[in-house]
Amino acid sequence: MEFIFEKIFVPNKHSFISRKLPLASNAKIHSHKNFELNFITAGSGRRIVGDNISGFEKGDLVLLGPNLPHCWEALDFERDNDPFCIVTHFSEDIINSDFFRMPELEQVVDLLKQSSTGLRFKLENDSHIRHSLEKMTQLQGLEYYIEMLKIFNFLLQIDERENLSNPNNSSAVFSKNLDKINKVYEYVFQNIQEGVKLEEAASVLNMAPSSFCRYFKKKTNLTFMEYVKSVRVGIAAKLLAETDKQITQICFESGYNNLANFNHYFKHIMGKTPSDYRKTFR
């Protein structure tokens, strides 16, 4: 499979960058140090944020914290309308700037901190946010910052928000060696249903299994298999919430081959059994 990966550079610690970018059908899981606000203007497909795998469509609006692995993979293309998104990146240091220490911006800072697991905003009407984001791709200087503050204010008024990645999974944030960790993410998500093997994951980084395990634990505070289990549970949670599939079928589709183990790890990570978790969506 062929992949693309775009590196994002922010000129200085207080800068914002807004661009309209095409969505690819062969996108690569990646992470970067900046905050990201991603708005889908056309197309639909699969979204990966941390250990969460879910679908997206036109109007999808997500705020991501720094170093959170993510990927938007276009699967359905609209006729005569290529899939696109408007992406805004801004420095992870912005919440520590003197300007953002103003009492009036306290709620904005709290919102940015909540984005460490990925926040999806549920919009009833996306025309306002779309107009502002498209406008920002053409603005510079003070006008740009004013429009960005308007968007923050708009986000704060949206009551329906969804945490995408499991907040109990401390492996969601990495501070160093993101290129190596991204390769591990890529391997896990490509093989999660067919079967993830420690030896194969270690070979991705050209490491012996024992060295790889020490490296992964040092960087994430989780063992590699604990991380894999959290990804599997994320897949299962999505299927439980959005489909009527039998729990046994979901167990196998999320990479487990033993129902008892599936129930045990799901409750351990999500705090509920699979059946109780499903009831919250019915």
Side-chain angles (χ1 to χ4, degrees):
M1 181 179 292
E2 182 182 356
F3 296 95
I4 61 170
F5 174 43
E6 179 185 12
K7 292 186 177 179
I8 305 299
F9 297 96
V10 177
N12 62 65
K13 68 179 181 178
H14 302 306
S15 293
F16 296 78
I17 298 176
S18 291
R19 290 177 294 178
K20 191 171 184 179
L21 299 173
L23 291 166
S25 59
N26 55 354
K28 179 180 179 180
I29 302 168
H30 64 281
S31 54
H32 43 69
K33 293 183 178 181
N34 312 135
F35 288 95
E36 176 178 317
L37 183 64
N38 189 300
F39 177 72
I40 305 297
T41 60
S44 60
R46 181 180 69 162
R47 176 185 58 226
I48 298 173
V49 174
D51 59 8
N52 175 271
I53 302 176
S54 50
F56 72 84
E57 58 186 10
K58 180 181 177 182
D60 191 69
L61 179 64
V62 172
L63 178 64
L64 303 174
N67 304 324
L68 184 62
H70 58 277
C71 170
W72 272 255
E73 182 182 15
L75 299 177
D76 297 320
F77 292 73
E78 300 176 7
R79 180 176 296 179
D80 300 324
N81 195 6
D82 291 336
F84 267 90
C85 63
I86 299 175
V87 179
T88 299
H89 288 95
F90 41 102
S91 170
E92 70 280 7
D93 295 327
I94 193 169
I95 59 176
N96 297 318
S97 66
D98 291 338
F99 180 72
F100 272 75
R101 290 175 181 170
M102 295 172 57
E104 293 81 0
L105 295 179
E106 183 177 345
Q107 287 183 296
V108 175
V109 172
D110 288 341
L111 185 70
L112 292 173
K113 290 179 179 179
Q114 292 172 34
S115 71
S116 62
T117 58
L119 279 178
R120 175 177 174 264
F121 298 87
K122 300 180 181 180
L123 305 174
E124 293 185 2
N125 188 332
D126 64 13
S127 59
H128 176 78
I129 190 73
R130 176 169 184 161
H131 174 75
S132 293
L133 289 170
E134 288 183 338
K135 183 178 179 181
M136 283 174 59
T137 63
Q138 307 298 322
L139 295 176
Q140 294 182 353
L142 183 59
E143 290 183 330
Y144 183 100
Y145 285 88
I146 292 173
E147 198 65 33
M148 189 70 237
L149 289 175
K150 290 181 181 179
I151 288 177
F152 282 139
N153 185 57
F154 177 79
L155 295 179
L156 288 171
Q157 296 176 43
I158 302 174
D159 293 327
E160 286 196 79
R161 307 170 191 168
E162 175 189 2
N163 286 97
L164 294 176
S165 182
N166 181 6
N168 296 323
N169 178 14
S170 61
S171 70
V173 177
F174 293 85
S175 59
K176 297 180 180 179
N177 304 110
L178 293 180
D179 54 341
K180 291 185 177 181
I181 295 300
N182 287 336
K183 291 179 181 179
V184 179
Y185 279 139
E186 178 187 326
Y187 167 77
V188 171
F189 280 98
Q190 282 185 340
N191 296 277
I192 193 67
Q193 290 182 307
E194 291 76 12
V196 172
K197 298 179 180 179
L198 173 60
E199 294 77 9
E200 291 181 355
S203 67
V204 169
L205 300 187
N206 297 316
M207 291 183 177
S210 57
S211 298
F212 172 79
C213 287
R214 290 192 295 270
Y215 174 83
F216 195 88
K217 180 66 181 280
K218 180 180 179 181
K219 297 299 179 183
T220 69
N221 294 320
L222 288 176
T223 68
F224 176 65
M225 294 314 298
E226 284 173 338
Y227 171 69
V228 171
K229 290 170 186 174
S230 72
V231 173
R232 287 174 175 160
V233 167
I235 295 172
K238 173 70 175 176
L239 294 173
L240 287 166
E242 299 186 359
T243 75
D244 293 322
K245 293 181 178 181
Q246 295 293 321
I247 291 178
T248 302
Q249 182 181 354
I250 291 175
C251 164
F252 295 123
E253 288 190 13
S254 56
Y256 285 95
N257 54 18
N258 183 292
L259 186 59
N261 286 340
F262 169 66
N263 288 329
H264 171 76
Y265 288 117
F266 191 96
K267 186 176 181 179
H268 176 73
I269 293 175
M270 303 302 293
K272 296 180 179 180
T273 64
S275 59
D276 287 340
Y277 181 84
R278 169 169 272 174
K279 290 177 183 177
T280 63
F281 295 91
R282 298 293 188 268

